[in-house]
Amino acid sequence: MELDFGPAVRDFRDELREWLAEHLVGEFAEHRGVGGPTDGAAWEVRLAWDRELAAGNWLGVGWPQEYGGRGLGLLEEIVFEYEYARANAPYRATGNALDLLGPMLLKMGSEAQRKRFLPPILSVEELWGQGFSEPGAGSDLASVRTRAERDDGGASRVRAERDDGGTSFEGASRPIGVERGGEWVVNGQKVWTSFGVHADWLYVLTRTDPDSRRHKGLTMLLVPADQPGVEIRPIRNLAGQDEFAEVFLSDARTDADMVVGEVGQGWRTAMATLGIERGTTLLPQQLTFEREAGALIGLARERGTLADPMLRRRIVDAWISVRIMRTTNLRTIAELTAGRAPGPQATTAKLYASTRHQQLGHLAMELAGPAGQIVGEDYGLDTRQRSFLLSLAETIYGGSSEIQRNIIGEQVLGLPKEPRP
């Protein structure tokens, strides 16, 4: 698929294409398209690729220059994501910080937080994990129970940067935003933390008002992962990978000034973060689905199944679905670049993409037949098998399909709200 975003960004597009052609070679080229938001494959290669991008100043193209970005506009950001996906480059290992935390800090963080945390994100020196979901608060995020309490006694520990770039509470200079005499003490559990085993820091939604309920009394905190009060345990998924983790917080500490937004207004901060996540164009994802649909047609031709009218109809339906995604994404891009809020199609995009991708995976495995059930040595999965297994979680993470349907029914269609217990 080819898109031309006009002469205003043509030079930027050509520069990016040339850079990708020169640098997406060798081991990086061998891992084209590897990884994903829930796929931890080839982690070290992807991390090295992120550092290659950082050296070329291609991370955070829309972030202000004072924090290490290029200071470009929304259209350049869209062009970057599109051309990046078009080149089928490895999925960025730093996606959590680049796509979610960074924009959240730019929108709601303090100037001290932006200066402290944004440059290490763009230089791939610090990795982040999201501490939102809990065992009893997944799609119903307002049920968060992880507690954070202020300790205004004398700060007995001062977190600082070690010489090796990590963080610790002892034996180092260069303190990080320490407000002596005040810390937050955090207790609770988080789950489904993507790439949590690699995180240096966590941004954690906590309940700071013990008497509050639901959306009130929540606070967003930045918590260092390298401390005795944080235990991170990997969760292995169907594809045999451990990109998810559960996080146990036991008297974990962070400085008083590590609040993003306002104390007690964490719900607003969290919704801003999820708005960034759900408002991000799905063009890269849609390009991946187009490749899979093309491979599906190739597989059907190879197996001689196109003569079957029922299968042919399902294959055509799969192809149409990715074209619908394309049209939906272009509508949303047009609205964003015109400075308008995205229309109803942006609300339905996640639900549609996740459900249709699962159907695409099921059809691909059906066409593969018994061969699709055979894995390589040490549970080695091919691209089709990995995509199918990982797609099963797409209707859960980022807002389950049940919650998405409620949002569409209540907020888009104006239907009565679902009764709540």
Side-chain angles (χ1 to χ4, degrees), residues 57-355:
N57 197 22
W58 289 109
L59 297 182
V61 295
W63 294 14
Q65 293 181 345
E66 58 263 37
Y67 308 123
R70 287 201 176 197
L72 301 179
L74 174 63
L75 195 53
E76 284 85 357
E77 289 188 72
I78 293 172
V79 169
F80 173 82
E81 294 295 346
Y82 172 74
E83 293 295 334
Y84 189 90
R86 182 174 174 270
N88 203 21
Y91 188 87
R92 296 189 293 277
T94 51
N96 200 322
L98 288 169
D99 299 338
L100 299 176
L101 174 76
M104 179 181 75
L105 291 179
L106 286 169
K107 184 176 182 179
M108 308 193 74
S110 67
E111 180 62 15
Q113 290 169 352
R114 289 192 286 264
K115 287 181 177 178
R116 165 59 186 87
F117 294 113
L118 296 182
I121 291 173
L122 296 184
S123 60
V124 198
E125 295 176 7
E126 290 179 344
L127 303 179
W128 285 79
Q130 183 188 75
F132 279 17
S133 295
E134 298 181 4
S139 296
D140 184 17
L141 196 58
S143 298
V144 160
R145 291 185 295 176
T146 294
R147 297 276 295 274
E149 300 175 329
R150 277 293 296 266
D151 178 6
D152 290 322
S156 59
R157 300 185 294 177
V158 177
R159 191 175 71 258
E161 294 181 0
R162 298 193 306 258
D163 292 336
D164 62 4
T167 59
S168 68
F169 286 96
E170 298 176 352
S173 55
R174 305 195 304 276
I176 308 172
V178 171
E179 180 182 318
R180 290 187 177 276
E183 290 182 311
W184 292 98
V185 182
V186 187
N187 287 278
Q189 180 185 354
K190 298 294 179 177
V191 73
W192 309 125
T193 302
S194 297
F195 309 120
V197 293
H198 305 288
D200 301 297
W201 285 78
L202 306 166
Y203 53 108
V204 182
L205 187 63
T206 66
R207 189 166 297 281
T208 48
D209 181 355
D211 298 322
S212 65
R213 296 188 62 188
R214 303 293 297 166
H215 311 87
K216 298 180 180 180
L218 300 173
T219 301
M220 184 74 69
L221 295 176
L222 308 178
V223 180
D226 181 19
Q227 59 169 302
V230 177
E231 181 184 358
I232 300 177
R233 301 178 187 173
I235 300 174
R236 191 165 296 274
N237 66 14
L238 284 173
Q241 301 166 355
D242 58 1
E243 78 282 356
F244 285 127
E246 53 184 344
V247 180
F248 296 87
L249 302 155
S250 304
D251 288 339
R253 291 178 176 266
T254 194
D255 298 324
D257 58 355
M258 290 295 109
V259 175
V260 182
E262 301 177 28
V263 174
Q265 297 298 318
W267 184 256
R268 182 187 305 170
T269 307
M271 289 303 99
T273 307
L274 294 177
I276 293 164
E277 179 179 25
R278 293 169 184 167
T280 302
T281 175
L282 293 175
L283 265 178
Q285 189 181 54
Q286 169 241 316
L287 281 173
T288 299
F289 295 172
E290 281 196 1
R291 290 191 188 95
E292 293 181 6
L296 179 71
I297 294 172
L299 178 63
R301 287 190 177 127
E302 177 186 321
R303 295 298 177 93
T305 54
L306 284 177
D308 184 331
M310 297 304 293
L311 275 175
R312 189 167 62 245
R313 178 178 178 178
R314 291 171 63 193
I315 292 169
V316 170
D317 185 57
W319 182 84
I320 290 174
S321 71
V322 297
R323 303 300 289 183
I324 291 174
M325 290 181 210
R326 179 182 189 269
T327 301
T328 298
N329 292 333
L330 292 178
R331 287 175 60 193
T332 303
I333 287 173
E335 291 164 341
L336 290 171
T337 54
R340 300 194 303 270
Q345 82 284 347
T347 307
T348 64
K350 191 271 180 186
L351 174 64
Y352 185 81
S354 59
T355 53

